[in-house]
Amino acid sequence: MLEQLLVFTRGGLILWTCKEFGNALRGSPIDTLIRSCLLEERSGDASYNYDAPGAAYTLKWTFHNELGLIFVAIYQRILHLLYVEDLLSTVKQEFSQIYDAERTVYDDFDETFRQLRKEAEARAEEMKKKSKQVVRPSKKLEQIASQKTGSQGGGKQKSSAGAGKDDFDGDATKGRVLENGNSNRISNGNFNGGLTGKENGGAEVGAFDVNKLQKLRSKAGKKTDTTVSKASKVEPKKKITKKNRVWDDSPAESKLDFTDPVDEKGDRNVEIVAADQGESMMDKEEIMSSESETEEDEEVNTSKPNAKKKGWFSSVFQSIAGNAILEKSDLEPALKALKDRLMTKNVAEEIAEKLCESVAASLEGKRLGSFTRISSTVQTAMEEALMRILTPRRSIDILRDVHAAKERGKPYVVVFVGVNGVGKSTNLAKVAYWLLQHNVSVMMAACDTFRSGAVEQLRTHARRLQIPIFEKGYEKDPAIVAKEAIQEACRNKSDVVLVDTAGRMQDNEPLMRALSKLINLNNPDLVLFVGEALVGNDAVDQLSKFDQKLADLSTAPNARLIDGILLTKFDTIDDKVGAALSMVYISGAPVMFVGCGQSYTDLKKLNVKSIVKTLLK
């Protein structure tokens, strides 16, 4: 049974709901659909599943893009209603005829909906009956056909047996059995595929002499040996002479030695860099080069008056005159070119396809103005979609949250997680340097007790930045180490605790279980996923499995998932910035930091506008 059907505008104004359904919905499926699907450009999906305590719903929807209306049907997932899509289509058609932009109440549509629902249910039942009628005769036909083939097969078997007997008597070349019981085998050095010509009364034809064949092969081998020997004589091997070593009494240049000097006690004098590294890039406005590059391209194209602009949409569409209504067939070529463009920018194929489906759903049926290009319409729609995806759904201001936690008398805890080798420890130090510039006291927690050298690496960063570090060595439970580090921060009144964890692949069950235990036991304020900007399709797999494992292994009713993303190696990808889009789309978490270099200052914010322009360039 259908639970609910409602019509509302894109602005969120509910115009009509079905009053004959008296059951109250559990939870808030419509709000979740808007937040998790429609606002995040997943409207191209066929349906959306919503789970609530004691209920599981399936939501299906359709758009009227010209009027800006959304039609949503909700039903129990276990029912599998077949008429919902047909009902939504007919309701959209009928409601659009009576829609008025200045009208907000449509009580007169109740009777129309009842009639439409009965007709949709009747069509679904009729389709079921037709499908059953088509299946039954086919089974009878198969039985009759099998009986016929059985009777014919018996006759064929008899005839074939008779033919075999006649063939054996009339032609000794078929089915001849040798003395050893094998037919058509090698005998006495000859391959007897049939009788020889002598047996048929003619010349000897059709037999291979194996001995002759072996002789020919040996002759060919000798020829190849002689050719190889000739070639070796023509090109003799060059003698490798050892060069004389030049000894130089001058010592190595000091500028090539970047190691820290060692004092008399044997301890390295680690350079203190907290005060002379300069301002962190987090506090500077970023200006990417994509804008200047596009301006240069436009100047090159306009410098030649007779030259045609060669954009990626230029070969796709002419303009449409008049108030044309877009159809799916009109959008497919432009979306295909747009999908290819996104994939060249390192966007995962699955994400690019879903984005194009969502844009198609938002444009299909929309009326264009006079002489409006489809290419520009599609590009504008995609640009708006990308802006909505990359813009954080909720504001995460770390400095504000740190001061709020300080007023409560608790340290602000940040846990850094991610796969192996992405740069968690280095970027943790960059975040610590940025916090120090804002007069925030920081303590590091060395909870990577798995990788050799991880504690020493974090200790070096702590000594260079002159901040305390909490460590317990290796082969310890990282969850307990993190808990003791937070307790130590409370005693020392540190404002922030940065927890370093071991790198782990998303399929490593024991390490993922240990990470889930660390997060559930300590309940950090922020879980940062550190990922490389170089990855493409693998970003989807990493983030989705990290979230899935954290949800499956959590013991709390509300599992803690990834709250934000830190992208590393962003300075090595040129215009291949698609990993940021893939990660945000699959997890819903914003990109909070971007690592772009080797020094402590090389940490910045993600410029959403520049990323969108680069993706569509």
Side-chain angles (χ1 to χ4, degrees):
M1 179 180 176
L2 198 66
E3 294 289 330
Q4 187 61 268
L5 194 145
L6 66 160
V7 183
F8 57 94
T9 65
R10 289 188 178 272
L13 177 63
I14 297 177
L15 300 177
W16 176 83
T17 57
C18 183
K19 297 181 178 62
E20 63 179 83
F21 303 131
N23 298 330
L25 296 176
R26 297 177 181 269
S28 55
I30 297 296
D31 294 341
T32 307
L33 173 69
I34 294 172
R35 287 196 311 270
S36 303
C37 192
L38 302 184
L39 291 180
E40 294 193 5
E41 296 304 323
R42 291 178 172 87
S43 56
D45 296 340
S47 61
Y48 177 76
N49 293 329
Y50 175 78
D51 294 318
Y57 299 117
T58 296
L59 289 79
K60 291 191 175 182
W61 62 90
T62 185
F63 299 105
H64 197 298
N65 292 313
E66 185 179 358
L67 300 179
L69 302 178
I70 304 174
F71 302 80
V72 181
I74 307 172
Y75 60 94
Q76 294 285 346
R77 193 183 308 168
I78 196 173
L79 296 180
H80 300 288
L81 301 181
L82 301 177
Y83 63 87
V84 173
E85 294 181 0
D86 183 21
L87 179 61
L88 283 173
S89 178
T90 54
V91 168
K92 180 177 76 169
Q93 183 178 359
E94 293 294 331
F95 192 86
S96 60
Q97 295 179 1
I98 64 171
Y99 173 71
D100 187 0
E102 298 180 356
R103 184 179 172 187
T104 58
V105 180
Y106 293 87
D107 293 335
D108 54 340
F109 191 70
D110 295 343
E111 187 62 33
T112 305
F113 171 73
R114 294 190 189 96
Q115 185 64 28
L116 294 176
R117 184 165 64 87
K118 290 180 181 178
E119 294 175 358
E121 291 175 351
R123 284 193 294 269
E125 290 294 329
E126 188 176 353
M127 290 295 293
K128 284 184 181 179
K129 292 179 181 178
K130 286 184 179 180
S131 61
K132 291 179 181 179
Q133 291 175 359
V134 170
V135 171
R136 287 176 182 173
S138 63
K139 292 183 178 179
K140 292 182 179 179
L141 289 173
E142 288 178 0
Q143 293 175 357
I144 295 170
S146 62
Q147 292 175 0
K148 287 183 178 180
T149 53
S151 60
Q152 291 175 359
K156 286 182 179 179
Q157 289 176 358
K158 292 179 182 178
S159 62
S160 62
K165 186 177 180 181
D166 295 340
D167 292 340
F168 182 80
D169 294 337
D171 189 2
T173 62
K174 295 182 179 179
R176 187 167 63 85
V177 181
L178 302 181
E179 292 179 359
N180 59 0
N182 295 327
S183 61
N184 298 337
R185 300 292 181 187
I186 295 175
S187 175
N188 298 326
N190 296 328
F191 181 80
N192 295 322
L195 286 178
T196 60
K198 289 182 179 179
E199 292 173 339
N200 285 328
E204 186 173 357
V205 179
F208 276 107
D209 191 348
V210 179
N211 296 326
K212 291 181 179 180
L213 183 61
Q214 291 177 352
K215 290 179 181 180
L216 291 173
R217 286 181 178 175
S218 63
K219 288 180 180 180
K222 290 179 181 179
K223 289 181 180 180
T224 55
D225 294 339
T226 56
T227 54
V228 171
S229 62
K230 288 179 181 179
S232 61
K233 290 179 181 178
V234 173
E235 297 179 359
K237 294 182 179 179
K238 295 181 180 179
K239 294 183 179 180
I240 301 174
T241 58
K242 185 177 180 180
K243 296 181 179 180
N244 296 328
R245 181 174 295 176
V246 179
W247 298 94
D248 190 3
D249 296 334
S250 60
E253 296 182 3
S254 59
K255 65 179 181 180
L256 297 179
D257 187 7
F258 292 99
T259 58
D260 296 322
V262 181
D263 57 12
E264 297 176 354
K265 297 180 181 180
D267 296 333
R268 293 189 179 275
N269 298 324
V270 180
E271 182 184 1
I272 299 171
V273 297
D276 58 358
Q277 284 286 306
E279 185 181 0
S280 175
M281 296 177 67
M282 279 290 294
D283 301 320
K284 298 178 181 178
E285 292 294 331
E286 178 199 2
I287 301 175
M288 293 186 66
S289 59
S290 60
E291 298 179 2
S292 61
E293 289 176 0
T294 52
E295 291 175 0
E296 290 176 2
D297 294 338
E298 290 177 359
E299 290 176 1
V300 170
N301 291 331
T302 54
S303 60
K304 298 179 181 180
N306 297 326
K308 295 182 179 179
K309 293 184 180 181
K310 295 182 179 180
W312 58 280
F313 278 120
S314 61
S315 60
V316 186
F317 299 85
Q318 70 277 13
S319 56
I320 294 182
N323 295 326
I325 295 178
L326 284 175
E327 298 180 358
K328 193 172 183 179
S329 59
D330 299 328
L331 299 170
E332 285 178 354
L335 292 173
K336 174 67 169 58
L338 184 55
K339 177 185 174 183
D340 295 340
R341 174 58 55 179
L342 290 175
M343 290 174 62
T344 59
K345 302 294 184 181
N346 217 16
V347 178
E349 181 181 2
E350 179 186 356
I351 306 301
E353 187 173 354
K354 288 185 177 181
L355 279 172
C356 291
E357 291 175 358
S358 179
V359 171
S362 65
L363 292 179
E364 188 177 355
K366 188 176 181 180
R367 189 179 297 275
L368 295 180
S370 299
F371 298 99
T372 303
R373 293 175 63 89
I374 297 179
S375 59
S376 60
T377 303
V378 172
Q379 187 174 14
T380 302
M382 180 58 75
E383 186 175 351
E384 294 174 355
L386 295 179
M387 289 291 293
R388 282 194 295 269
I389 293 171
L390 292 173
T391 303
R393 288 181 295 175
R394 62 186 181 91
S395 176
I396 301 179
D397 190 344
I398 292 182
L399 296 176
R400 180 194 62 194
D401 295 341
V402 166
H403 290 297
K406 186 176 181 179
E407 292 177 357
R408 297 194 301 267
K410 294 181 179 180
Y412 188 81
V413 182
V414 183
V415 175
F416 292 76
V417 303
V419 299
N420 308 78
V422 295
K424 290 184 295 298
S425 301
T426 303
N427 285 275
L428 181 147
K430 293 179 183 179
V431 174
Y433 180 79
W434 171 66
L435 291 172
L436 289 174
Q437 288 191 320
H438 290 273
N439 299 322
V440 175
S441 59
V442 183
M443 186 180 78
M444 294 183 180
C447 296
D448 185 356
T449 61
F450 185 78
R451 177 174 64 89
S452 300
V455 176
E456 288 79 6
Q457 179 185 4
L458 203 66
R459 188 188 302 156
T460 302
H461 287 303
R463 292 175 66 183
R464 290 176 67 87
L465 296 173
Q466 287 188 307
I467 59 177
I469 180 173
F470 186 87
E471 57 175 287
K472 287 290 185 179
Y474 297 98
E475 298 183 0
K476 301 293 191 300
D477 189 352
I480 303 300
V481 175
K483 183 177 181 181
E484 293 178 358
I486 296 172
Q487 293 173 354
E488 181 68 19
C490 292
R491 288 191 292 269
N492 297 337
K493 296 183 178 180
S494 297
D495 298 333
V496 178
V497 179
L498 302 180
V499 180
D500 185 27
T501 62
R504 66 206 74 210
M505 296 306 294
Q506 60 270 23
D507 298 321
N508 193 323
E509 182 74 19
L511 288 179
M512 290 301 300
R513 191 175 295 276
L515 178 63
S516 177
K517 178 183 176 182
L518 185 149
I519 293 175
N520 292 329
L521 181 63
N522 297 284
N523 192 22
D525 298 281
L526 185 65
V527 180
L528 271 182
F529 179 85
V530 184
E532 285 184 342
L534 302 169
V535 295
N537 290 316
D538 198 32
V540 177
D541 185 61
Q542 289 176 7
L543 263 174
S544 58
K545 287 189 177 179
F546 256 83
D547 265 344
Q548 188 63 40
K549 288 291 184 181
L550 291 178
D552 294 342
L553 300 175
S554 176
T555 56
N558 296 324
R560 279 296 304 275
L561 304 180
I562 293 170
D563 300 317
I565 300 169
L566 194 156
L567 271 180
T568 66
K569 306 174 186 178
F570 206 73
D571 55 326
T572 64
I573 57 173
D574 193 23
D575 61 345
K576 306 280 191 299
V577 295
L581 177 64
S582 299
M583 289 183 175
V584 174
Y585 186 90
I586 199 66
S587 67
V591 177
M592 302 180 62
F593 301 99
V594 174
C596 55
Q598 301 291 329
S599 63
Y600 291 128
T601 60
D602 295 330
L603 191 73
K604 59 185 180 181
K605 298 177 182 178
L606 185 72
N607 192 328
V608 176
K609 293 183 179 179
S610 298
I611 294 295
V612 172
K613 288 183 179 180
T614 304
L615 287 171
L616 298 179
K617 183 176 66 175

